[in-house]
Amino acid sequence: MNLQRQPTALRSLGVNARAFSRDFIGYLVLILLLGGMGWIEIVQPGDLSLPKLTGGLLTLDMLTRVGLFTIVLVGLNLLMGYAGQVSLGQAAFYGMGAFFSAILTTRAAALGIPASLSQAWWWAWLVMFAGMLLTGACAYLIGVPILRLRGHYLAMATLGMGVVVYVLLKENLAVPQLNLTGGFDGVHSIPRLRIGDFVIWPVTRYFVLVWFFTFLVIALGLNIVNSRYGRVLRAIHASQSAAESVGVAVHKSKAQIFALSAALASLAGSLYAHFQAAVIPATFGFGESLELVIMSSVGGLASIWGAPFGAFAVLLLKELLRTQLRVVFPGVKGEFEAIAFGVLLIVIMISMPEGLTTGMLKAYRRWRAARVLKQEIAESLEPLGMK
Amino acid sequence: MNILEVTKLCKQFGGIMALHRVTFQVARGEIFAIIGPNGAGKTTLFNLVSGALPASSGEMRYKTELLNGLLPHQIAARGLVRTFQTVQVFGNMTVLENVMVGRHTKTRYGMLDAALRLPAARAEEKRLRADALARLELVGLAPRANESAAALSFGQQRVLEAARALALDPDLIMLDEPGAGLTRAEVEDLDRLIQRLQKQGITVVLVEHNMELVMGIADRVMVLEYGQKIAEGTPLQVQHNERVIAAYLGADTFPIG
């Protein structure tokens, strides 16, 4: 019985047919979803708008956040899902990008940068790019020693790194006189991004910008996964000693992917800074790192497509609980939604341990296989006059 | 000419001498077998030569270059590869991808080429696929190229591991108990494969318990016991060596004579 029908034409061409069709479906679903929601919100046909349709649940603001988290999660999935290296400190890189952009676009004068530079429209973009490079370089230097650790030890080390960065941001990088990071209060009045005189604001424009970057990052992520680097990451995950035995420089590869994931987090951080126009250290603490890991797991670790869907699912779930829990259980207060969130996470992780995307894909394949089997049984019984 | 020269190699684990002053040479192109009772230090020897463990003392030279202090991936890149006693295929990849990882050091395109899928990356990737498929043809796994490596039988995983190692175009391959857990038919395939490797000019060092296999194909055999070399020679010489017989059967309980 042929339960697994593979498109052999594609296979004979040497194309990984399964990966190809999956990526195609992924792009299609995402474009349709976002395009549809964005269109409703921007055009507002017949006095409809997204918040009206969804009872205030979905807003462009929220979808923009999904895009930002997706950028971080693509990096985190490469690191955790593919290479199998846990990071409980990813928010540190997110914060580094955010504060790098925030500081260099608001305090340029105090840092002695001439106005001809810092007032130019491309300055913020340059800072964003430089932030990625700097954060990536930092991550590489941190990664070389700590990625020698494995499992829980690596988790502890990255956690420690996250705490250090958080404290540094909170304590003005240990130089209070300069007041660079603004301490607890953070940095305010971050300018909007511009292209020439075209300001990328209000949120409708920013939504398009963020998702432009997000799609770019998803495409880059998919390309890396399907390249020699992607295979090396999976090899390291499966067996480090076997990867070494065929000539893979394991430690260097791990530090490289750590740096790449940090650079992506930094990009998202910079975009976040210009989105919120204000950043505070509290946003980039351990809680945020943990939430990133949760999004990553919910979406599906070893899948680039898990990133957007994980971010979307978790943000939606939190928003639902925040707004709807009081309707269902009147009189509940405070931390109750955190409990409900926790319970739901446990349910998701038990029923779909590989995350939503992989879990649903598998459920669909099982359903299809069962249907084919049923049909074949029926066909084989027909000549016997049985039904 | 010798491709591998090991001189007075020692490895100490705490108070235990796992290897004690082991000296041997492997000539280019030969099939060199290492046998010995369990715990004799065979796998430790592989781990030292492949760089997985540091040697306590002694010298290892591959093509006259000193191996001491090199990392496993550096040694592999020089054309000296090994397989593992406990099979270590990448179960999260297809059979073909496993072999493609084996050819990692033979590819050059950078992270940026990969991320942007530039022509350089695509061309190299295509060549890589063909090269990997050729290795699978060699070992007879080509029909299963697109299946998950985890779906292969134990014996086929061993063969895949060998194919992955061969993808590096090695000059010397070290097989750690390649016949363990294989069926009779699979052992015969393995026998043919090793002979084919020799014909291609690849030197084979193997640790193996299957005496029929070892005595049938090895040019020379070295016998280890408690970390020391007790005999070396052709299969025939080793088979009639009294110390070897004693080591395998136990001299005290079954005196030979």
Side-chain angles (χ1 to χ4, degrees), chain A residues 11 14 18 219-220 223-224 226-229 231-232 234-235 237-239 241-249 256, chain B residues 72-73 76 84 88 90 92-93 97 100-101 104-105 107-111 114-117 125 128-129 146 164 168:
Chain A
R11 213 167 71 178
R18 236 178 324 166
L220 295 188
N223 282 346
I224 286 177
N226 294 320
S227 75
R228 63 194 283 242
Y229 294 100
R231 285 190 297 271
V232 159
R234 283 180 286 161
H237 197 172
S239 166
S241 44
E244 279 176 340
S245 81
V246 289
V248 172
Q256 269 178 350
Chain B
H73 71 90
F84 295 87
Q88 307 244 12
F90 306 127
N92 52 357
M93 280 184 249
E97 284 172 326
M100 287 166 84
V101 173
H104 181 75
T105 52
T107 44
R108 286 282 161 268
Y109 69 85
M111 184 81 90
L116 301 177
R117 250 186 121 61
E125 195 73 1
L128 188 57
R129 229 165 238 286
N146 284 319
R164 186 180 65 194
L168 270 106

CSV table of all heavy atoms in Angstrom, one decimal, chain A residues 11 14 18 219-220 223-224 226-229 231-232 234-235 237-239 241-249 256, chain B residues 72-73 76 84 88 90 92-93 97 100-101 104-105 107-111 114-117 125 128-129 146 164 168:
chain,number,residue,atom,x,y,z
A,11,ARG,N,11.3,15.0,-7.2
A,11,ARG,CA,12.4,14.3,-6.5
A,11,ARG,C,13.5,13.9,-7.5
A,11,ARG,O,14.7,14.0,-7.2
A,11,ARG,CB,11.9,13.0,-5.8
A,11,ARG,CG,12.6,12.7,-4.6
A,11,ARG,CD,11.9,11.7,-3.8
A,11,ARG,NE,12.0,10.4,-4.4
A,11,ARG,CZ,11.5,9.3,-3.8
A,11,ARG,NH1,10.8,9.4,-2.7
A,11,ARG,NH2,11.5,8.1,-4.4
A,14,GLY,N,16.0,16.4,-8.0
A,14,GLY,CA,16.9,16.6,-6.9
A,14,GLY,C,16.4,17.7,-6.0
A,14,GLY,O,17.1,18.3,-5.2
A,18,ARG,N,9.2,17.9,-0.4
A,18,ARG,CA,8.4,18.1,0.8
A,18,ARG,C,8.7,19.5,1.4
A,18,ARG,O,7.8,20.3,1.7
A,18,ARG,CB,8.7,17.1,1.9
A,18,ARG,CG,7.5,16.4,2.3
A,18,ARG,CD,7.8,15.3,3.4
A,18,ARG,NE,9.0,14.7,3.1
A,18,ARG,CZ,9.7,13.9,3.9
A,18,ARG,NH1,9.2,13.7,5.1
A,18,ARG,NH2,10.8,13.3,3.6
A,219,ALA,N,12.9,34.2,4.9
A,219,ALA,CA,13.5,33.7,3.7
A,219,ALA,C,15.0,33.3,4.0
A,219,ALA,O,15.4,32.3,3.6
A,219,ALA,CB,13.4,34.7,2.6
A,220,LEU,N,15.7,34.2,4.6
A,220,LEU,CA,17.1,34.0,5.0
A,220,LEU,C,17.2,32.7,5.8
A,220,LEU,O,18.1,31.8,5.6
A,220,LEU,CB,17.7,35.1,5.7
A,220,LEU,CG,17.9,36.5,4.9
A,220,LEU,CD1,18.7,37.4,5.7
A,220,LEU,CD2,18.5,36.2,3.6
A,223,ASN,N,16.7,29.6,3.8
A,223,ASN,CA,17.8,29.3,3.0
A,223,ASN,C,19.0,28.7,3.8
A,223,ASN,O,19.6,27.8,3.3
A,223,ASN,CB,18.3,30.6,2.3
A,223,ASN,CG,17.4,31.0,1.1
A,223,ASN,OD1,16.6,30.1,0.7
A,223,ASN,ND2,17.6,32.2,0.7
A,224,ILE,N,19.2,29.2,5.0
A,224,ILE,CA,20.3,28.7,5.8
A,224,ILE,C,20.0,27.3,6.2
A,224,ILE,O,20.8,26.4,6.2
A,224,ILE,CB,20.5,29.6,7.0
A,224,ILE,CG1,21.2,30.9,6.6
A,224,ILE,CG2,21.3,28.9,8.1
A,224,ILE,CD1,21.4,31.9,7.6
A,226,ASN,N,18.3,25.1,4.7
A,226,ASN,CA,18.5,24.1,3.6
A,226,ASN,C,19.9,24.2,3.0
A,226,ASN,O,20.1,23.7,1.9
A,226,ASN,CB,17.5,24.4,2.5
A,226,ASN,CG,16.1,24.1,3.0
A,226,ASN,OD1,15.9,23.1,3.7
A,226,ASN,ND2,15.1,25.0,2.7
A,227,SER,N,20.9,24.8,3.7
A,227,SER,CA,22.2,24.9,3.1
A,227,SER,C,23.1,24.0,4.0
A,227,SER,O,22.7,23.3,4.9
A,227,SER,CB,22.7,26.3,3.2
A,227,SER,OG,23.1,26.6,4.6
A,228,ARG,N,24.4,24.0,3.6
A,228,ARG,CA,25.4,23.2,4.4
A,228,ARG,C,25.4,23.7,5.9
A,228,ARG,O,25.7,22.8,6.7
A,228,ARG,CB,26.8,23.4,3.8
A,228,ARG,CG,27.3,24.8,3.8
A,228,ARG,CD,28.5,24.9,2.9
A,228,ARG,NE,29.8,24.4,3.5
A,228,ARG,CZ,30.9,25.1,3.7
A,228,ARG,NH1,30.9,26.4,3.5
A,228,ARG,NH2,31.9,24.5,4.2
A,229,TYR,N,25.1,24.9,6.1
A,229,TYR,CA,25.1,25.4,7.5
A,229,TYR,C,24.0,24.8,8.3
A,229,TYR,O,24.1,24.4,9.4
A,229,TYR,CB,25.1,26.9,7.6
A,229,TYR,CG,26.3,27.5,7.0
A,229,TYR,CD1,26.4,28.0,5.8
A,229,TYR,CD2,27.5,27.5,7.8
A,229,TYR,CE1,27.5,28.5,5.3
A,229,TYR,CE2,28.7,28.0,7.3
A,229,TYR,CZ,28.7,28.5,6.0
A,229,TYR,OH,29.9,29.0,5.5
A,231,ARG,N,22.5,22.0,7.7
A,231,ARG,CA,22.8,20.5,7.9
A,231,ARG,C,23.8,20.4,9.1
A,231,ARG,O,23.6,19.5,9.9
A,231,ARG,CB,23.4,19.9,6.7
A,231,ARG,CG,22.3,19.6,5.6
A,231,ARG,CD,22.9,18.7,4.5
A,231,ARG,NE,23.9,19.4,3.8
A,231,ARG,CZ,23.8,20.2,2.8
A,231,ARG,NH1,22.6,20.4,2.3
A,231,ARG,NH2,24.8,20.8,2.2
A,232,VAL,N,24.7,21.3,9.2
A,232,VAL,CA,25.7,21.2,10.3
A,232,VAL,C,25.0,21.5,11.6
A,232,VAL,O,25.3,20.8,12.6
A,232,VAL,CB,26.8,22.3,10.0
A,232,VAL,CG1,27.5,22.6,11.3
A,232,VAL,CG2,27.8,21.7,9.0
A,234,ARG,N,21.9,20.8,12.4
A,234,ARG,CA,21.2,19.6,12.8
A,234,ARG,C,22.1,18.4,13.2
A,234,ARG,O,21.8,17.7,14.1
A,234,ARG,CB,20.3,19.1,11.6
A,234,ARG,CG,19.0,20.0,11.5
A,234,ARG,CD,18.1,19.6,10.4
A,234,ARG,NE,18.7,20.0,9.1
A,234,ARG,CZ,18.3,19.5,8.0
A,234,ARG,NH1,17.4,18.5,7.9
A,234,ARG,NH2,18.9,19.9,6.8
A,235,ALA,N,23.3,18.4,12.5
A,235,ALA,CA,24.2,17.4,12.8
A,235,ALA,C,24.7,17.5,14.3
A,235,ALA,O,24.9,16.6,15.0
A,235,ALA,CB,25.4,17.4,11.9
A,237,HIS,N,23.1,18.9,16.7
A,237,HIS,CA,22.0,18.6,17.5
A,237,HIS,C,22.0,17.1,17.7
A,237,HIS,O,21.8,16.6,18.9
A,237,HIS,CB,20.7,19.1,16.9
A,237,HIS,CG,19.6,19.1,17.8
A,237,HIS,ND1,18.4,19.6,17.5
A,237,HIS,CD2,19.4,18.7,19.1
A,237,HIS,CE1,17.5,19.5,18.5
A,237,HIS,NE2,18.2,19.0,19.5
A,238,ALA,N,22.2,16.3,16.6
A,238,ALA,CA,22.0,14.9,16.7
A,238,ALA,C,23.2,14.2,17.4
A,238,ALA,O,23.1,13.4,18.3
A,238,ALA,CB,21.9,14.3,15.3
A,239,SER,N,24.4,14.6,17.1
A,239,SER,CA,25.6,14.0,17.7
A,239,SER,C,26.8,14.9,17.5
A,239,SER,O,27.3,15.0,16.4
A,239,SER,CB,25.9,12.6,17.2
A,239,SER,OG,27.2,12.2,17.6
A,241,SER,N,29.8,14.5,18.6
A,241,SER,CA,31.1,13.8,18.3
A,241,SER,C,31.1,13.3,16.9
A,241,SER,O,32.1,13.3,16.2
A,241,SER,CB,31.3,12.6,19.3
A,241,SER,OG,30.1,11.9,19.5
A,242,ALA,N,29.9,12.9,16.4
A,242,ALA,CA,29.9,12.4,15.0
A,242,ALA,C,30.1,13.6,14.0
A,242,ALA,O,30.8,13.4,13.0
A,242,ALA,CB,28.5,11.8,14.7
A,243,ALA,N,29.6,14.8,14.4
A,243,ALA,CA,29.8,15.9,13.5
A,243,ALA,C,31.3,16.3,13.5
A,243,ALA,O,31.8,16.5,12.4
A,243,ALA,CB,29.0,17.1,14.1
A,244,GLU,N,31.9,16.2,14.6
A,244,GLU,CA,33.4,16.5,14.7
A,244,GLU,C,34.1,15.4,13.8
A,244,GLU,O,35.1,15.8,13.2
A,244,GLU,CB,33.9,16.4,16.1
A,244,GLU,CG,33.7,17.6,16.9
A,244,GLU,CD,34.1,17.5,18.4
A,244,GLU,OE1,34.2,16.3,18.8
A,244,GLU,OE2,34.3,18.5,19.0
A,245,SER,N,33.7,14.2,13.9
A,245,SER,CA,34.4,13.1,13.3
A,245,SER,C,34.4,13.3,11.8
A,245,SER,O,35.2,12.6,11.1
A,245,SER,CB,33.8,11.8,13.7
A,245,SER,OG,32.7,11.5,12.9
A,246,VAL,N,33.5,14.1,11.2
A,246,VAL,CA,33.5,14.3,9.7
A,246,VAL,C,34.0,15.7,9.4
A,246,VAL,O,33.8,16.2,8.3
A,246,VAL,CB,32.1,14.0,9.1
A,246,VAL,CG1,31.8,12.5,9.1
A,246,VAL,CG2,31.0,14.8,9.7
A,247,GLY,N,34.7,16.3,10.3
A,247,GLY,CA,35.4,17.5,10.0
A,247,GLY,C,34.7,18.8,10.3
A,247,GLY,O,35.1,19.8,9.9
A,248,VAL,N,33.5,18.7,11.0
A,248,VAL,CA,32.8,19.9,11.3
A,248,VAL,C,33.4,20.6,12.5
A,248,VAL,O,33.6,20.0,13.5
A,248,VAL,CB,31.3,19.6,11.6
A,248,VAL,CG1,30.6,20.9,12.1
A,248,VAL,CG2,30.6,19.1,10.4
A,249,ALA,N,33.8,21.9,12.4
A,249,ALA,CA,34.3,22.6,13.5
A,249,ALA,C,33.2,23.0,14.4
A,249,ALA,O,32.6,24.1,14.3
A,249,ALA,CB,35.1,23.9,13.0
A,256,GLN,N,29.0,30.7,15.7
A,256,GLN,CA,28.5,31.5,14.5
A,256,GLN,C,27.0,31.6,14.6
A,256,GLN,O,26.5,32.7,14.4
A,256,GLN,CB,28.9,30.7,13.3
A,256,GLN,CG,30.2,31.2,12.7
A,256,GLN,CD,30.5,30.3,11.4
A,256,GLN,OE1,29.9,29.3,11.1
A,256,GLN,NE2,31.5,30.8,10.7
B,72,PRO,N,39.5,16.9,16.9
B,72,PRO,CA,38.9,15.9,16.0
B,72,PRO,C,38.6,16.4,14.6
B,72,PRO,O,38.9,15.7,13.6
B,72,PRO,CB,37.6,15.5,16.7
B,72,PRO,CG,37.9,15.8,18.2
B,72,PRO,CD,38.8,17.0,18.2
B,73,HIS,N,38.0,17.6,14.5
B,73,HIS,CA,37.6,18.0,13.1
B,73,HIS,C,38.8,18.4,12.3
B,73,HIS,O,38.8,18.2,11.1
B,73,HIS,CB,36.6,19.2,13.2
B,73,HIS,CG,37.2,20.5,13.7
B,73,HIS,ND1,37.7,21.4,12.9
B,73,HIS,CD2,37.4,21.0,15.0
B,73,HIS,CE1,38.2,22.4,13.5
B,73,HIS,NE2,38.0,22.2,14.8
B,76,ALA,N,40.1,15.0,11.0
B,76,ALA,CA,39.2,14.5,10.0
B,76,ALA,C,39.4,15.2,8.7
B,76,ALA,O,39.5,14.6,7.6
B,76,ALA,CB,37.7,14.7,10.4
B,84,PHE,N,32.0,5.0,14.7
B,84,PHE,CA,31.8,4.7,16.1
B,84,PHE,C,31.3,3.3,16.4
B,84,PHE,O,30.5,2.8,15.6
B,84,PHE,CB,30.8,5.8,16.7
B,84,PHE,CG,31.4,7.2,16.6
B,84,PHE,CD1,31.2,8.0,15.5
B,84,PHE,CD2,32.1,7.7,17.7
B,84,PHE,CE1,31.7,9.2,15.4
B,84,PHE,CE2,32.6,9.0,17.6
B,84,PHE,CZ,32.4,9.8,16.5
B,88,GLN,N,26.3,6.3,15.2
B,88,GLN,CA,26.0,7.7,15.4
B,88,GLN,C,25.6,8.4,14.1
B,88,GLN,O,26.3,9.3,13.6
B,88,GLN,CB,27.3,8.5,16.0
B,88,GLN,CG,27.8,7.9,17.2
B,88,GLN,CD,27.7,8.8,18.4
B,88,GLN,OE1,27.0,9.8,18.3
B,88,GLN,NE2,28.4,8.5,19.5
B,90,PHE,N,23.0,10.8,12.0
B,90,PHE,CA,22.2,11.9,12.3
B,90,PHE,C,20.7,11.6,12.0
B,90,PHE,O,20.3,11.7,10.9
B,90,PHE,CB,22.6,13.2,11.5
B,90,PHE,CG,24.0,13.5,11.6
B,90,PHE,CD1,24.8,13.7,10.5
B,90,PHE,CD2,24.6,13.6,12.9
B,90,PHE,CE1,26.2,14.0,10.6
B,90,PHE,CE2,26.0,13.9,13.0
B,90,PHE,CZ,26.8,14.1,11.9
B,92,ASN,N,18.0,12.9,12.6
B,92,ASN,CA,17.1,14.0,12.3
B,92,ASN,C,17.2,14.5,10.9
B,92,ASN,O,16.8,15.5,10.5
B,92,ASN,CB,17.3,15.2,13.3
B,92,ASN,CG,18.7,15.6,13.3
B,92,ASN,OD1,19.6,15.0,12.7
B,92,ASN,ND2,19.0,16.7,14.1
B,93,MET,N,18.0,13.7,10.0
B,93,MET,CA,18.2,14.1,8.6
B,93,MET,C,17.9,12.9,7.7
B,93,MET,O,17.9,11.7,8.2
B,93,MET,CB,19.6,14.5,8.4
B,93,MET,CG,19.9,15.9,8.9
B,93,MET,SD,21.6,16.3,8.5
B,93,MET,CE,22.2,16.4,10.1
B,97,GLU,N,21.3,13.5,3.3
B,97,GLU,CA,21.8,14.7,4.0
B,97,GLU,C,22.9,14.3,5.0
B,97,GLU,O,23.9,15.0,5.2
B,97,GLU,CB,20.7,15.4,4.8
B,97,GLU,CG,19.8,16.2,3.9
B,97,GLU,CD,18.5,16.7,4.7
B,97,GLU,OE1,18.0,16.0,5.6
B,97,GLU,OE2,18.1,17.8,4.4
B,100,MET,N,25.9,14.2,3.0
B,100,MET,CA,26.2,15.6,2.6
B,100,MET,C,27.0,16.3,3.7
B,100,MET,O,27.9,17.1,3.5
B,100,MET,CB,25.0,16.4,2.2
B,100,MET,CG,24.5,16.0,0.8
B,100,MET,SD,22.8,16.6,0.5
B,100,MET,CE,23.2,18.2,-0.1
B,101,VAL,N,26.6,16.0,5.0
B,101,VAL,CA,27.3,16.6,6.1
B,101,VAL,C,28.8,16.1,6.1
B,101,VAL,O,29.7,16.8,6.3
B,101,VAL,CB,26.7,16.2,7.4
B,101,VAL,CG1,27.6,16.7,8.6
B,101,VAL,CG2,25.3,16.8,7.6
B,104,HIS,N,31.0,18.2,4.2
B,104,HIS,CA,31.1,19.6,4.6
B,104,HIS,C,32.4,20.2,4.3
B,104,HIS,O,32.5,21.4,3.8
B,104,HIS,CB,30.7,19.7,6.1
B,104,HIS,CG,30.7,21.1,6.6
B,104,HIS,ND1,29.7,22.0,6.3
B,104,HIS,CD2,31.6,21.8,7.4
B,104,HIS,CE1,29.9,23.1,6.9
B,104,HIS,NE2,31.1,23.0,7.5
B,105,THR,N,33.5,19.5,4.7
B,105,THR,CA,34.8,20.2,4.5
B,105,THR,C,35.2,20.3,3.1
B,105,THR,O,36.2,21.0,2.8
B,105,THR,CB,35.9,19.3,5.2
B,105,THR,OG1,35.8,18.0,4.7
B,105,THR,CG2,35.7,19.3,6.7
B,107,THR,N,33.2,21.6,0.9
B,107,THR,CA,32.4,22.7,0.3
B,107,THR,C,32.9,24.0,0.8
B,107,THR,O,33.5,24.0,1.9
B,107,THR,CB,30.9,22.5,0.6
B,107,THR,OG1,30.8,22.2,2.0
B,107,THR,CG2,30.2,21.5,-0.2
B,108,ARG,N,32.7,25.1,0.1
B,108,ARG,CA,33.3,26.3,0.4
B,108,ARG,C,32.4,27.5,0.7
B,108,ARG,O,32.7,28.4,1.3
B,108,ARG,CB,34.3,26.7,-0.7
B,108,ARG,CG,35.6,25.9,-0.7
B,108,ARG,CD,36.6,26.3,0.4
B,108,ARG,NE,37.6,25.3,0.7
B,108,ARG,CZ,37.4,24.4,1.6
B,108,ARG,NH1,36.3,24.4,2.4
B,108,ARG,NH2,38.3,23.5,1.9
B,109,TYR,N,31.2,27.4,0.1
B,109,TYR,CA,30.4,28.6,0.0
B,109,TYR,C,30.0,29.1,1.4
B,109,TYR,O,29.9,28.3,2.4
B,109,TYR,CB,29.1,28.5,-0.8
B,109,TYR,CG,28.0,27.5,-0.3
B,109,TYR,CD1,27.1,28.0,0.6
B,109,TYR,CD2,27.9,26.2,-0.7
B,109,TYR,CE1,26.1,27.2,1.0
B,109,TYR,CE2,26.9,25.4,-0.3
B,109,TYR,CZ,26.0,25.9,0.6
B,109,TYR,OH,25.0,25.0,1.0
B,110,GLY,N,30.0,30.4,1.6
B,110,GLY,CA,29.9,31.1,2.9
B,110,GLY,C,28.4,31.2,3.4
B,110,GLY,O,27.5,30.9,2.7
B,111,MET,N,28.3,31.7,4.6
B,111,MET,CA,27.0,31.9,5.2
B,111,MET,C,26.2,32.9,4.4
B,111,MET,O,25.0,32.7,4.3
B,111,MET,CB,27.2,32.5,6.7
B,111,MET,CG,26.0,32.7,7.5
B,111,MET,SD,25.4,31.2,8.3
B,111,MET,CE,26.2,31.2,9.8
B,114,ALA,N,24.8,31.3,1.4
B,114,ALA,CA,23.7,30.4,1.8
B,114,ALA,C,22.5,31.1,2.1
B,114,ALA,O,21.4,30.8,1.6
B,114,ALA,CB,24.1,29.6,3.0
B,115,ALA,N,22.6,32.2,2.8
B,115,ALA,CA,21.4,33.0,3.2
B,115,ALA,C,20.7,33.6,2.0
B,115,ALA,O,19.5,33.7,2.0
B,115,ALA,CB,21.8,34.1,4.2
B,116,LEU,N,21.5,34.0,1.0
B,116,LEU,CA,20.9,34.7,-0.2
B,116,LEU,C,20.7,33.7,-1.3
B,116,LEU,O,20.2,34.0,-2.4
B,116,LEU,CB,21.7,35.8,-0.6
B,116,LEU,CG,21.9,36.9,0.5
B,116,LEU,CD1,22.8,38.0,0.0
B,116,LEU,CD2,20.6,37.5,0.8
B,117,ARG,N,21.1,32.4,-1.1
B,117,ARG,CA,21.0,31.4,-2.1
B,117,ARG,C,21.6,31.9,-3.4
B,117,ARG,O,21.0,31.8,-4.5
B,117,ARG,CB,19.5,31.0,-2.4
B,117,ARG,CG,19.2,29.6,-1.9
B,117,ARG,CD,17.8,29.2,-2.2
B,117,ARG,NE,17.8,28.0,-3.0
B,117,ARG,CZ,18.3,26.8,-2.6
B,117,ARG,NH1,18.9,26.7,-1.4
B,117,ARG,NH2,18.3,25.8,-3.4
B,125,GLU,N,25.9,23.2,-4.1
B,125,GLU,CA,24.9,22.4,-3.5
B,125,GLU,C,24.5,21.2,-4.4
B,125,GLU,O,24.3,20.1,-4.0
B,125,GLU,CB,23.7,23.2,-3.1
B,125,GLU,CG,22.7,22.6,-2.1
B,125,GLU,CD,23.2,22.5,-0.7
B,125,GLU,OE1,24.4,23.0,-0.4
B,125,GLU,OE2,22.5,22.0,0.1
B,128,LEU,N,27.3,18.8,-4.6
B,128,LEU,CA,27.4,18.1,-3.3
B,128,LEU,C,26.4,17.0,-3.3
B,128,LEU,O,26.7,15.9,-2.9
B,128,LEU,CB,27.0,19.2,-2.2
B,128,LEU,CG,27.2,18.8,-0.8
B,128,LEU,CD1,28.6,18.3,-0.5
B,128,LEU,CD2,26.8,20.0,0.1
B,129,ARG,N,25.2,17.2,-3.8
B,129,ARG,CA,24.1,16.2,-3.8
B,129,ARG,C,24.6,15.0,-4.7
B,129,ARG,O,24.4,13.9,-4.3
B,129,ARG,CB,22.9,16.9,-4.5
B,129,ARG,CG,21.6,16.7,-3.8
B,129,ARG,CD,20.6,17.6,-4.3
B,129,ARG,NE,20.1,18.4,-3.3
B,129,ARG,CZ,19.2,18.0,-2.3
B,129,ARG,NH1,18.8,16.7,-2.4
B,129,ARG,NH2,18.8,18.8,-1.4
B,146,ASN,N,16.3,9.4,0.2
B,146,ASN,CA,15.4,10.5,0.7
B,146,ASN,C,14.7,10.1,2.0
B,146,ASN,O,13.8,10.8,2.5
B,146,ASN,CB,14.5,11.0,-0.3
B,146,ASN,CG,15.2,11.9,-1.3
B,146,ASN,OD1,16.0,12.7,-1.0
B,146,ASN,ND2,14.9,11.6,-2.6
B,164,ARG,N,29.1,8.1,5.1
B,164,ARG,CA,29.3,9.5,5.5
B,164,ARG,C,30.8,9.8,5.7
B,164,ARG,O,31.3,10.8,5.4
B,164,ARG,CB,28.6,9.7,6.9
B,164,ARG,CG,28.6,11.1,7.4
B,164,ARG,CD,27.8,11.2,8.6
B,164,ARG,NE,28.5,10.5,9.7
B,164,ARG,CZ,27.9,10.2,10.9
B,164,ARG,NH1,26.6,10.5,11.1
B,164,ARG,NH2,28.6,9.6,11.8
B,168,LEU,N,34.3,12.2,2.9
B,168,LEU,CA,35.4,13.1,3.1
B,168,LEU,C,36.6,12.8,2.2
B,168,LEU,O,37.6,13.5,2.3
B,168,LEU,CB,36.0,13.0,4.6
B,168,LEU,CG,35.4,14.0,5.6
B,168,LEU,CD1,34.5,13.2,6.5
B,168,LEU,CD2,36.5,14.6,6.4
